[in-house]
Amino acid sequence: MQEMIGKLMANKYWNLLRMEAGGNRILRIMAHPGSAWGNDFLWESHFLQLVMMGFYPLSYSILEAFRVIEELAPNDAIRSKVRFFVEVEEGKQAASDWYRNVSHSELFRRLFSSLSPGTTPITVDEEMLGQYLGALRLREGGLVRALVTATFIEKTGMYVLQLLHDFVAQWQTLAGLSTSKVDLTYLNEHMLHEGEGSEDQHVNLITNLVEECGPLDFGNEIRHFEAVTAKWLNHTHDCVYGILRSR
């Protein structure tokens, strides 16, 4: 599992988010496309949507993964623990009423939408989402595929959050966007719970959950998840670079 996590987190997609002094090259270009690009707002929104769609399908799929685990859990004790994760992803465990019952994937979308310079919200590309989910075929892999999916997303949570923080900070600076305009709920909510500093954080909870499901053969499902997700991250990265080549 750790080898797979290392490979996927080294994927070139994450370079779109990484911090560089003065802003990374792609963000420097896309925060100010210039008159040669025509309507700046449209290009900036398209760029933000593509970057968002790199991780959005994974954020979306973890809720379905936990639902599958809940259905197929070997006993009621495990099923009860998984119910907590389902409710977290559904937004039922939110720290405040004003965003309770808003799913984490929707909070993720709202973060990127708030970065958009235009008035039209950034929406989910349903075709792209369907491509990833169709390749992952989560339910076909049963309990093991669902566990692999959930484990990857939970165990990489802090790394992804740090990259997202870096991306948002760079975009705000380059675009001159005040923090008062940015919906940081997704980042603020997750930074409290991801990691492994205490037993109630999600890395430790998912590790214990996998162990309690009993001895399972993860080999084939790790390879499947790695292949599908690596292909998806590469595709999204290449779509972003396709914008630059088209201009």
Side-chain angles (χ1 to χ4, degrees), residues 13-75:
Y13 164 76
W14 304 111
N15 293 334
L16 301 172
L17 312 182
R18 293 191 195 283
M19 178 70 76
E20 293 180 19
N24 75 48
R25 186 178 72 88
I26 298 298
L27 267 70
R28 290 200 308 271
I29 294 171
M30 294 310 305
H32 300 289
S35 59
W37 290 63
N39 190 322
D40 286 4
F41 287 178
L42 289 179
W43 284 107
E44 290 170 27
S45 295
H46 184 44
F47 166 73
L48 289 168
Q49 184 191 45
L50 283 175
V51 175
M52 178 187 79
M53 289 307 301
F55 185 71
Y56 181 89
L58 281 80
S59 178
Y60 184 93
S61 67
I62 192 172
L63 174 54
E64 183 63 16
F66 281 127
R67 285 172 174 163
V68 171
I69 298 168
E70 184 179 26
E71 290 174 17
L72 302 179
N75 58 60

Side-chain angles (χ1 to χ4, degrees), residues 86 94 118 141 150 166 205 229:
V86 171
D166 288 350
L205 291 175
T229 304

Side-chain angles (χ1 to χ4, degrees), residues 31-229:
H32 300 289
S35 59
W37 290 63
N39 190 322
D40 286 4
F41 287 178
L42 289 179
W43 284 107
E44 290 170 27
S45 295
H46 184 44
F47 166 73
L48 289 168
Q49 184 191 45
L50 283 175
V51 175
M52 178 187 79
M53 289 307 301
F55 185 71
Y56 181 89
L58 281 80
S59 178
Y60 184 93
S61 67
I62 192 172
L63 174 54
E64 183 63 16
F66 281 127
R67 285 172 174 163
V68 171
I69 298 168
E70 184 179 26
E71 290 174 17
L72 302 179
N75 58 60
D76 288 341
I78 294 174
R79 193 169 292 110
S80 176
K81 292 179 180 179
V82 179
R83 170 54 24 192
F84 164 78
F85 279 106
V86 171
E87 292 184 354
V88 166
E89 294 300 326
E90 290 175 337
K92 293 179 180 177
Q93 296 281 344
S96 184
D97 284 340
W98 68 269
Y99 66 98
R100 186 159 290 124
N101 297 318
V102 179
S103 69
H104 281 185
S105 58
E106 170 58 14
L107 290 178
F108 181 74
R109 185 203 64 80
R110 291 181 185 184
L111 167 64
F112 274 84
S113 191
S114 71
L115 299 176
S116 176
T119 56
T120 303
I122 291 177
T123 58
V124 174
D125 187 319
E126 296 292 343
E127 182 178 353
M128 292 183 74
L129 175 60
Q131 289 172 357
Y132 179 79
L133 297 179
L136 185 59
R137 304 190 312 278
L138 189 57
R139 285 190 171 270
E140 291 182 27
L143 178 63
V144 178
R145 186 170 300 179
L147 284 168
V148 169
T149 301
T151 299
F152 172 80
I153 297 168
E154 292 293 356
K155 288 201 170 186
T156 59
M158 185 57 70
Y159 305 117
V160 173
L161 289 170
Q162 290 166 351
L163 288 166
L164 285 170
H165 262 294
D166 288 350
F167 178 88
V168 171
Q170 291 176 95
W171 185 263
Q172 283 190 246
T173 301
L174 292 167
L177 184 64
S178 170
T179 299
S180 65
K181 304 293 185 181
V182 182
D183 187 344
L184 295 170
T185 310
Y186 178 87
L187 293 175
N188 292 339
E189 166 93 356
H190 281 73
M191 289 298 288
L192 296 172
H193 302 294
E194 303 302 334
E196 51 189 328
S198 64
E199 286 301 315
D200 62 346
Q201 287 187 296
H202 289 183
V203 169
N204 293 316
L205 291 175
I206 193 68
T207 298
N208 293 336
L209 181 66
V210 171
E211 291 175 353
E212 290 173 18
C213 284
L216 298 167
D217 183 359
F218 289 96
N220 288 337
E221 295 305 335
I222 286 174
R223 286 187 287 272
H224 172 78
F225 182 85
E226 180 181 340
V228 169
T229 304

